[in-house]
């Protein structure tokens, strides 16, 4: 299913004000339907594209191409708009990432659960208990061999607001990094991928063992055979 939705920010949050099926990008139709919108959402087989207005041009968040950055734009032609990829210099891309990260900082902070100092002497040894929100994927904030906080769901599947989704992954990650830096007073922290289970954390990447104390043991794998667990202790 292909469709276009027009979304407006209000006191009660974002709401869809208009939508239509198909990808009719005729200039007169799209301009009329988007005049009160803050976001255009285009749904395609390849996924959703969110566009916001920048200097009279609708543009998406950016992604890293390896040589620079790119984003989608609605390019105005004679009769229709066309959804096209615009390539950006690294300098331009970095400035966009910083600007968007600044806008979403307060909302991005809501996905971080910080460890509570009162749990330092928790009898089970799980001083991170306040940052544990159930079984699932995590990004652990680690400094000097200790977990300081966690993001339940990691960067991609955490409980993000629409604003942070629209701003894009790179700006969201930059905002998170800036928040952590301000909280901890340093940029020497690590963001480690881990799985949570039974109020314990298990590292995804064996190379991350150098950043935090762990113990290793084998457990039966759901796919058969044995699996190496790297449990944080």
């Amino acid at each position: 299913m292909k469709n276009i939705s027009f979304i407006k920010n209000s006191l009660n949050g974002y709401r869809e004000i208009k939508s239509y099926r198909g990808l009719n990008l005729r200039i007169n139709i799209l301009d009329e339907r988007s005049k009160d919108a803050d976001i255009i959402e285009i749904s395609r087989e390849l996924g959703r594209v969110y566009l916001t207005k920048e200097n009279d041009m609708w543009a998406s968040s950016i992604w890293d191409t390896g040589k620079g950055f790119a984003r989608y734009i609605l390019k105005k032609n004679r009769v229709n708009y066309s959804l096209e990829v615009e390539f950006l210099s690294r300098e331009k891309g970095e400035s966009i990432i910083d600007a968007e990260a600044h806008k979403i900082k307060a909302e991005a902070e809501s996905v971080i659960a910080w460890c509570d100092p009162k749990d330092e002497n928790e009898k089970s040894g799980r001083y991170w208990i306040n940052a544990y929100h159930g079984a699932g994927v995590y990004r652990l904030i680690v400094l000097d061999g200790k977990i300081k906080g966690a993001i339940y769901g990691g960067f991609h599947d955490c409980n993000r607001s629409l604003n942070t989704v629209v701003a894009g992954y790179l700006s969201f990650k930059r905002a998170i990094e800036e928040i952590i830096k301000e909280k901890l007073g340093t940029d020497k922290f690590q963001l480690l991928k881990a799985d949570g289970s039974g109020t314990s954390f298990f590292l995804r990447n064996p190379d991350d063992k150098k950043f935090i104390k762990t113990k290793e043991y084998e457990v039966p794998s759901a796919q058969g055979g044995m699996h190496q667990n790297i449990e944080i202790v």
Side-chain angles (χ1 to χ4, degrees):
M1 179 67 68
K2 301 177 182 179
N3 57 65
I4 301 177
S5 299
F6 303 91
I7 301 168
K8 184 174 180 60
N9 192 7
S10 66
L11 293 175
N12 296 320
Y14 283 104
R15 61 187 179 87
E16 183 180 88
I17 53 176
K18 288 185 177 70
S19 67
Y20 58 84
R21 292 184 178 182
L23 292 181
N24 187 337
L25 296 178
R26 289 182 68 87
I27 291 171
N28 61 331
I29 294 175
L30 193 136
D31 283 353
E32 172 62 26
R33 297 189 180 187
S34 68
K35 65 182 181 181
D36 295 321
D38 296 303
I39 299 168
I40 295 177
E41 177 189 329
I42 300 178
S43 298
R44 313 172 300 160
E45 287 87 350
L46 296 176
R48 297 176 181 176
V49 176
Y50 293 99
L51 306 161
T52 55
K53 208 156 196 180
E54 176 190 306
N55 299 325
D56 293 323
M57 180 180 71
W58 289 97
S60 75
S61 61
I62 67 175
W63 64 89
D64 196 330
T65 67
K67 296 182 178 179
F69 294 97
R71 64 181 175 181
Y72 288 110
I73 61 168
L74 285 181
K75 181 181 177 182
K76 187 176 282 190
N77 302 304
R78 292 184 61 186
V79 177
N80 295 330
Y81 283 104
S82 55
L83 185 65
E84 299 191 7
V85 174
E86 179 186 48
F87 293 96
L88 305 169
S89 67
R90 295 211 72 83
E91 182 180 10
K92 173 70 172 175
E94 288 291 344
S95 70
I96 292 173
I97 292 170
D98 285 338
E100 292 300 314
H102 179 73
K103 291 179 189 176
I104 62 172
K105 212 166 178 182
E107 292 178 65
E109 188 166 13
S110 69
V111 307
I112 301 175
W114 296 103
C115 295
D116 193 328
K118 71 178 177 59
D119 294 325
E120 280 292 326
N121 298 315
E122 218 276 336
K123 292 180 179 179
S124 70
R126 294 177 175 86
Y127 63 89
W128 55 76
I129 196 69
N130 197 61
Y132 184 85
H133 285 181
V137 176
Y138 286 81
R139 280 281 184 155
L140 303 180
I141 302 164
V142 174
L143 177 67
D144 296 332
K146 299 281 282 186
I147 297 171
K148 299 297 182 179
I151 301 171
Y152 181 53
F155 290 130
H156 297 286
D157 297 317
C158 57
N159 187 25
R160 292 169 60 178
S161 67
L162 181 58
N163 271 341
T164 65
V165 173
V166 171
Y169 168 77
L170 296 178
S171 293
F172 177 63
K173 185 171 181 285
R174 179 72 53 85
I176 291 291
E177 290 169 343
E178 288 300 316
I179 291 162
I180 297 170
K181 181 179 176 181
E182 290 174 11
K183 174 80 172 179
L184 301 181
T186 179
D187 61 359
K188 303 300 182 184
F189 57 86
Q190 295 84 39
L191 288 164
L192 309 184
K193 290 183 179 180
D195 293 302
S197 178
T199 66
S200 293
F201 291 118
F202 302 85
L203 289 179
R204 285 276 189 94
N205 185 352
D207 292 339
D208 289 338
K209 291 185 294 183
K210 61 189 175 188
F211 298 119
I212 196 164
K213 187 178 178 182
T214 61
K215 65 179 180 181
E216 298 181 55
Y217 50 91
E218 289 189 336
V219 294
S221 171
Q223 287 75 40
M226 301 299 288
H227 169 75
Q228 188 82 1
N229 266 1
I230 308 173
E231 183 180 353
I232 293 173
V233 296

